[in-house]
Amino acid sequence: MHFLHQDDLGRLLLRLCVGGLILLHGIDKLMNPATISGIAQQLTSVGLPSFVAYGVLVGEIVAPLMTIVGWRARIGGLLMAINMIVALALVHTGQLWTLNSQGGWTLELQGMFLFGALAIMFLGSGRMAARPD
């Protein structure tokens, strides 16, 4: 059963999945700049400067690309996790303890992104990477 012990392939699949899916959110924000303005308004409403909203592009464009190619994947995972924590704090705190109509956690997508990013941060890129860590 040696073929089942493919840790590096598992890391690659995790990097591609989490990085690729978060990257799509970042591309959407690039294509719809009003989204960044909305994030800026949310940040100012909690006392943070509006320019911090551009950090979402780091968390949803730069970090996923780092993760996908396997260059500083641990840092990419950390940046994506921070991005998700900020998103949860700004937008989703009221849903933390709620279930959806199918009985699943309302924030299961956000949770998968957050914990997948943390897994990448702890596991690293594996050997199938531009720069294994």
Side-chain angles (χ1 to χ4, degrees):
M1 300 287 261
H2 174 70
F3 69 93
L4 293 177
H5 296 279
Q6 299 294 324
D7 295 349
D8 291 315
L9 179 58
R11 288 181 178 127
L12 173 64
L13 290 172
L14 181 64
R15 289 187 358 247
L16 294 176
C17 180
V18 174
L21 292 173
I22 290 177
L23 179 62
L24 293 174
H25 287 267
I27 291 169
D28 180 67
K29 287 177 179 67
L30 284 177
M31 295 173 66
N32 300 296
T35 307
I36 303 286
S37 300
I39 294 168
Q41 289 174 351
Q42 290 172 321
L43 288 166
T44 57
S45 74
V46 295
L48 294 170
S50 62
F51 74 86
V52 174
Y54 291 99
V56 76
L57 298 177
V58 173
E60 293 184 9
I61 299 285
V62 176
L65 289 173
M66 292 168 63
T67 301
I68 289 167
V69 299
W71 180 79
R72 305 279 189 201
R74 291 179 191 271
I75 294 171
L78 173 64
L79 293 171
M80 289 186 296
I82 291 168
N83 184 73
M84 290 311 305
I85 291 168
V86 172
L88 288 167
L90 283 180
V91 182
H92 300 290
T93 52
Q95 299 170 307
L96 280 174
W97 310 113
T98 63
L99 300 177
N100 63 28
S101 60
Q102 293 83 35
W105 186 31
T106 305
L107 299 176
E108 59 191 20
L109 177 65
Q110 294 84 353
M112 287 295 287
F113 285 165
L114 171 60
F115 295 112
L118 288 172
I120 292 166
M121 182 186 78
F122 290 121
L123 290 170
S125 64
R127 286 182 289 147
M128 298 177 181
R131 184 172 180 205
D133 55 14

